[in-house]
Amino acid sequence: MISPPWEPRLHRRGRRTQRIPRQWQLTLMWILLVFSVVAWRQGALFTGGVDSVVILKALLQSSILCWVVLLNLWSSERQLVGVRSIMLVAPTLALSIVGALAEGNLMASAIIAIRMTMLATTILLIMRIFPAEQVVSSLCIGMATVGMVSAISGLALGGAAGRLSGGIPPLSPNEIALLSGFPALVLFHQALRAQVRWWHIVALGVLSGILLLSESRTALFAAAVAAVMMLLMLRKLPVQTIVAGLITLPIASYLIFATSIIQHMMAREDSASVMTLNSRTISWSVVLNLPIDSWQRWIGAGMSQKTIAVQGQYWDEQVFDSSWISLLAQTGIIGTALIGIWVIATIHSAITSKKLRSLLLPLIAFLLIRSVMENGLLDAGALFLSFLVIALMLEPVSKSEAFDWDNSSLLKQPNSAPRFS
């Protein structure tokens, strides 16, 4: 009897029946999860109020978590996943709640911390059921789907002039750059090894075009660094890659040297001067100059602390626009140190992993370069989700059964599910 498509597959191994969730469930979960964490309103910062958007996001994230819990109870498949990342992120969130209580904004910060706890739990449970390589593949599909729908709808709604902004959902150019850049780099990594099909090349071209139209200088620089790292770590050069390089090199050279695309991007003027690097440093200096004997300096003021009052300017408040400055303001020196340990441990694990290094180390570079100039490394957003997945893949326990990304491919396999057969 053929089981319905919504039921997990059943496999018999000896006398034991294995219950294995279907791949489409993982892909759909990631699409919904990415959609639940991106901005549904441009320029809106959560301050603790409850409205229809907050309620809908909470219901969506809760539904996904319940779905994953049920799959964990049903499935007999278990993957090895370490807990180092959780042990470093959890006390940081707890510390931020203490700081929020002292600051007087407990409700808003507690809600954000709870959302992040739910997201981290969801990802941990997902990686307990599905192989890590399948999680990365589905994460890329989720990010690319949400990013492409937002970008295409933004163009359809009349966003052809200036930087590419989203339509549905109304994502900022920087969010679109993240959602398109991450899966584009994964496709680029596999394309270098001739481990893709023609539709993957089409998807790579579309995602790269969206990244370019976003005019996100930080994202483009980070993507270029990651791409160069992938090239340098390439062990052998397939003939298909050489041919593709000879075809794309003249096109890339023309775009760089014969058009004004790069010059326009580097000299573009944002509509609000408070978003430039010079104005960012104003808020950074305020956070860095907090008194050393103040509790804000050591434990922060909570996860909802995303702006700070500034003086001597024609605006009263300034956003941080840096994950690390945000960490200092939200979790203080102690919390920033914990996240710093988490990041350093993840980088070290990537460097020492022969199977994962060629893919995950450039992806880490892409995310961390963005984190210097953009928020989200420790927040309920796509940047946190993607970095947490990578960190969990690089746990010492998780690496024992790591997929060899350097020599193998999921993209060329008919069902893209080697461990599910």
Side-chain angles (χ1 to χ4, degrees):
M1 180 181 296
I2 300 176
S3 60
W6 58 85
E7 291 183 2
R9 291 179 292 175
L10 301 179
H11 290 268
R12 292 192 178 277
R13 181 176 293 177
R15 295 183 177 180
R16 180 184 176 187
T17 299
Q18 283 195 313
R19 296 183 292 270
I20 303 175
R22 292 179 181 269
Q23 174 65 23
W24 69 264
Q25 297 184 58
L26 176 62
T27 302
L28 180 57
M29 274 191 289
W30 270 117
I31 294 175
L32 294 176
L33 199 59
V34 173
F35 178 66
S36 71
V37 299
V38 297
W40 291 7
R41 292 175 295 199
Q42 280 195 9
L45 298 177
F46 180 68
T47 58
V50 178
D51 56 18
S52 58
V53 171
V54 175
I55 293 174
L56 288 174
K57 279 195 169 188
L59 290 175
L60 183 55
Q61 291 179 9
S62 300
S63 300
I64 299 170
L65 178 57
C66 291
W67 186 3
V68 177
V69 170
L70 291 175
L71 285 182
N72 266 269
L73 295 175
W74 177 264
S75 175
S76 59
E77 189 78 2
R78 289 292 181 270
Q79 311 297 327
L80 296 176
V81 184
V83 295
R84 178 183 62 193
S85 299
I86 304 300
M87 296 298 292
L88 289 170
V89 171
T92 305
L93 294 177
L95 192 70
S96 71
I97 294 179
V98 176
L101 180 62
E103 180 70 12
N105 59 351
L106 177 61
M107 182 59 68
S109 295
I111 291 175
I112 296 176
I114 291 172
R115 283 187 60 196
M116 292 186 62
T117 302
M118 292 172 59
L119 291 173
T121 304
T122 301
I123 296 173
L124 182 62
L125 293 178
I126 285 175
M127 298 194 70
R128 287 190 64 212
I129 309 173
F130 297 93
E133 63 272 14
Q134 296 293 321
V135 176
V136 171
S137 178
S138 297
L139 168 62
C140 289
I141 294 175
M143 297 178 74
T145 300
V146 176
M148 289 174 65
V149 169
S150 178
I152 293 173
S153 60
L155 289 172
L157 293 174
R163 301 182 65 186
L164 176 60
S165 296
I168 304 173
L171 304 182
S172 68
N174 290 338
E175 282 186 294
I176 291 177
L178 172 61
L179 296 182
S180 60
F182 188 93
L185 286 171
V186 175
L187 287 173
F188 180 71
H189 176 273
Q190 295 293 274
L192 286 176
R193 290 155 177 78
Q195 295 174 346
V196 292
R197 299 184 183 275
W198 66 267
W199 56 84
H200 298 129
I201 300 299
V202 173
L204 175 59
V206 172
L207 291 171
S208 300
I210 292 174
L211 176 61
L212 190 63
L213 289 175
S214 72
E215 296 187 11
S216 176
R217 292 172 290 201
T218 303
L220 285 167
F221 174 74
V225 171
V228 171
M229 292 176 65
M230 290 179 178
L231 285 169
L232 293 177
M233 287 189 283
L234 189 64
R235 298 180 183 179
K236 53 185 178 182
L237 200 61
V239 176
Q240 300 95 314
T241 304
I242 297 175
V243 174
L246 293 176
I247 295 174
T248 57
L249 185 60
I251 300 175
S253 300
Y254 174 79
L255 291 175
I256 294 174
F257 299 108
T259 67
S260 59
I261 293 178
I262 303 299
Q263 181 181 0
H264 172 72
M265 186 181 307
M266 297 305 297
R268 67 172 171 80
E269 292 292 338
D270 291 320
S271 58
S273 62
V274 295
M275 298 300 291
T276 62
L277 177 60
N278 290 334
S279 62
R280 285 174 177 174
T281 57
I282 295 173
S283 63
W284 296 0
S285 63
V286 175
V287 176
L288 293 174
N289 291 324
L290 287 173
I292 194 66
D293 57 348
S294 64
W295 55 264
Q296 295 99 329
R297 187 66 181 270
W298 290 97
I299 64 174
M303 297 303 300
S304 65
Q305 185 75 19
K306 300 183 183 297
T307 62
I308 197 166
V310 295
Q311 296 179 352
Q313 309 296 328
Y314 62 85
W315 58 87
D316 298 325
E317 289 185 333
Q318 173 68 44
V319 293
F320 298 125
D321 286 314
S322 170
S323 294
W324 296 99
I325 300 299
S326 296
L327 278 169
L328 276 173
Q330 295 166 353
T331 65
I333 294 176
I334 299 176
T336 304
L338 290 174
I339 298 302
I341 294 172
W342 180 38
V343 170
I344 292 172
T346 301
I347 294 174
H348 178 266
S349 294
I351 294 174
T352 57
S353 175
K354 294 181 179 180
K355 294 181 179 180
L356 301 173
R357 177 171 52 208
S358 65
L359 174 67
L360 297 192
L361 192 58
L363 290 179
I364 290 172
F366 173 71
L367 297 177
L368 291 183
I369 291 174
R370 287 178 52 89
S371 72
V372 175
M373 300 297 294
E374 296 174 13
N375 293 318
L377 184 61
L378 191 70
D379 199 359
L383 181 57
F384 172 70
L385 292 185
S386 51
F387 189 82
L388 180 58
V389 168
I390 292 175
L392 290 174
M393 289 177 64
L394 290 169
E395 298 275 355
V397 175
S398 308
K399 289 196 300 181
S400 61
E401 295 185 0
F403 182 78
D404 190 354
W405 280 97
D406 202 36
N407 299 308
S408 304
S409 174
L410 289 171
L411 302 180
K412 273 195 170 183
Q413 300 183 16
N415 57 3
S416 295
R419 294 191 188 180
F420 283 57
S421 58

